[in-house]
């Protein structure tokens, strides 16, 4: 099996560039695995479609402003980094994805919006890929990302991030900052929907007990 087997054409005009006006007011397609029957619902219907006893797992990771633009000191050109995770917290080294990776080589320096400078260093496993190890002179924290970074929207969204995205592109149950991308299936859940799901589980448990 090849990854190309999963390629398909989707007209650009059908790719939403902004979320729906109200979270949760989205269409939901339901496929019956046993019969193959397809039904169309709204996300609000989800609690009534979930069978009692169903296990639902939620990723509570919150998206950081992980897309950060810098200026390459040798050329003065803008370079985009996507910060993924720390490689060495004490040595202030981060694992990143970088645009035009072949042109970003060890020893090169980059200046970020607040004047912070970082250097690409050699790191085993990064050669020949889009990943680069970036070393800072001091540990950067979430405040640094808030000052310098942007919300990393999916590549099929062809626009810059807005202040609205800082909350709209988060799941309502997200608590622990650390993701470079949102678990997007959860974007359609609302607090009211989660409450209904809890009530359905509780009612099912009470019926079982009785």
């Amino acid at each position: 099996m090849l990854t190309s087997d999963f390629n398909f054409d989707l007209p650009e005009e059908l790719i939403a560039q902004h979320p729906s006006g109200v979270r949760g007011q989205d269409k939901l397609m339901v496929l019956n695995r046993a019969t193959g029957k397809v039904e169309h619902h709204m996300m609000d219907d989800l609690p009534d479609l979930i069978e009692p006893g169903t296990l639902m797992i939620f990723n509570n990771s919150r998206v950081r402003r992980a897309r950060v633009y810098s200026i390459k000191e040798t050329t003065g050109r803008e370079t985009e980094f996507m910060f993924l995770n720390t490689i060495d917290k004490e040595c202030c080294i981060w694992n990143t994805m970088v645009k035009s990776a072949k042109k970003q080589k060890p020893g090169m320096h980059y200046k970020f919006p607040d004047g912070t400078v970082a250097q690409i260093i050699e790191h085993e496993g990064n050669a020949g890929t889009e990943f680069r190890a970036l070393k800072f002179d001091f540990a950067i924290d979430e405040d640094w990302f808030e000052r310098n970074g942007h919300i990393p929207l999916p590549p099929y969204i062809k626009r810059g991030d807005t202040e609205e995205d800082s909350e709209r592109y988060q799941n309502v149950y997200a608590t622990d900052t650390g993701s470079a991308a949102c678990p997007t299936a959860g974007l359609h859940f609302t607090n009211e929907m989660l409450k209904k799901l809890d009530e359905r589980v509780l009612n099912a448990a009470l019926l079982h007990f009785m």
Side-chain angles (χ1 to χ4, degrees):
M1 181 178 292
L2 302 174
T3 56
S4 58
D5 294 337
F6 298 93
N7 291 344
F8 60 93
D9 294 323
L10 181 62
E12 289 192 10
E13 64 271 18
L14 297 181
I15 303 176
Q17 296 300 299
H18 292 272
S20 60
V22 179
R23 190 190 292 265
Q25 295 298 307
D26 308 287
K27 296 177 181 179
L28 175 67
M29 185 177 75
V30 178
L31 171 65
N32 187 312
R33 289 186 297 175
T35 65
K37 181 181 178 181
V38 173
E39 295 180 350
H40 296 281
H41 293 267
M42 297 296 290
M43 275 298 296
D44 283 344
D45 301 328
L46 181 64
D48 296 324
L49 298 170
I50 297 298
E51 293 291 334
T54 298
L55 175 64
M56 300 183 72
I57 299 175
F58 294 84
N59 182 340
N60 68 344
S61 183
R62 187 173 175 83
V63 181
R64 69 160 47 100
R65 293 178 178 269
R67 174 174 284 138
V68 190
Y69 297 93
S70 67
I71 298 298
K72 188 175 181 179
E73 289 195 338
T74 55
T75 63
R77 292 183 178 179
E78 185 178 77
T79 304
E80 176 188 326
F81 287 91
M82 178 76 78
F83 286 73
L84 303 178
N85 58 277
T86 52
I87 295 174
D88 188 322
K89 199 167 186 178
E90 290 185 2
C91 295
C92 313
I93 302 173
W94 278 76
N95 182 34
T96 68
M97 291 179 64
V98 59
K99 287 288 185 70
S100 303
K102 290 183 179 180
K103 298 180 180 179
Q104 320 308 329
K105 300 178 180 179
M108 292 181 172
H109 291 77
Y110 302 81
K111 182 178 287 187
F112 292 90
D114 66 348
T116 304
V117 176
Q119 176 185 5
I120 290 179
I121 63 171
E122 293 278 3
H123 180 65
E124 184 178 356
N126 281 353
T129 73
E130 69 273 28
F131 300 99
R132 292 292 181 272
L134 203 58
K135 178 174 173 52
F136 291 81
D137 291 332
F138 60 91
I140 60 175
D141 55 19
E142 295 306 325
D143 288 337
W144 187 88
F145 286 106
E146 286 296 318
R147 294 195 307 270
N148 295 281
H150 297 263
I151 293 294
L153 299 176
Y156 52 81
I157 295 182
K158 308 298 184 182
R159 62 173 176 82
D161 63 309
T162 66
E163 191 57 36
E164 178 191 22
D165 293 316
S166 62
E167 285 304 320
R168 192 64 173 83
Y169 192 59
Q170 304 282 0
N171 291 321
V172 295
Y173 46 80
T175 56
D176 301 330
T177 301
S179 286
C182 181
T184 51
L187 289 175
H188 308 291
F189 285 82
T190 64
N191 287 318
E192 182 180 5
M193 195 183 304
L194 294 173
K195 183 180 178 181
K196 289 181 179 178
L197 286 167
D198 283 340
E199 291 173 349
R200 186 167 178 80
V201 171
L202 178 60
N203 290 336
L206 289 173
L207 288 171
H208 179 73
F209 179 77
M210 294 171 64

